[in-house]
Amino acid sequence: QVQLVESGGGLVQPGGTLRLSCAASGSRFSINAMGWYRQAPGKERELVARIYSTGRIDYADSVKGRFTISRDNAKNTVYLQMNSLKPEDTAVYYCNLLELGSRAVQYWGQGTQVTVSS
């Protein structure tokens, strides 16, 4: 079993900056990828950014050039640096972990609210 604990959400003005953190813990697990998804009211949950153990990184087109995902393997922690935030970035952000293995088991954090407003 894997537990994901997120932090760093909050209220910021347009153009502002936030950094989200997600720490994974458990008795025994291996990571294929960790990343961030978000869901705004009335919309589907969408991928924001994902980083694989190989180093491959995927970003949503809407955040390229503004957001940066990184990881600290020793701490099993993934970060999302969010710059130049826009009102349309407002959503609940969820940490996601894809476990290494043939079953491709996924785990989700509880979500952290990001609100971008004047």
Side-chain angles (χ1 to χ4, degrees), residues 7 19 25 29-30 32 40-42 49 55 62 73 81 92 95-96 100 102 110 117:
S7 63
R19 188 181 73 165
S25 63
F29 64 94
S30 297
N32 187 358
S62 60
N73 290 334
Q81 179 70 39
V92 177
C95 183
N96 172 269
L100 184 65
S102 61
Q110 81 286 350
S117 176

Side-chain angles (χ1 to χ4, degrees), residues 3-73:
Q3 296 81 46
L4 302 175
V5 179
E6 300 140 321
S7 63
L11 172 65
V12 296
Q13 295 182 342
T17 297
L18 285 174
R19 188 181 73 165
L20 306 183
S21 299
C22 174
S25 63
S27 59
R28 191 180 186 91
F29 64 94
S30 297
I31 298 171
N32 187 358
M34 292 184 70
W36 295 91
Y37 291 70
R38 67 186 181 187
Q39 187 168 25
K43 301 190 70 175
E44 298 292 326
R45 188 174 298 186
E46 65 174 348
L47 173 70
V48 178
R50 179 169 52 203
I51 183 167
Y52 288 83
S53 61
T54 60
R56 167 186 160 192
I57 295 174
D58 295 328
Y59 290 106
D61 288 340
S62 60
V63 307
K64 287 181 179 177
R66 299 188 298 120
F67 292 8
T68 303
I69 190 169
S70 61
R71 67 186 181 189
D72 184 335
N73 290 334

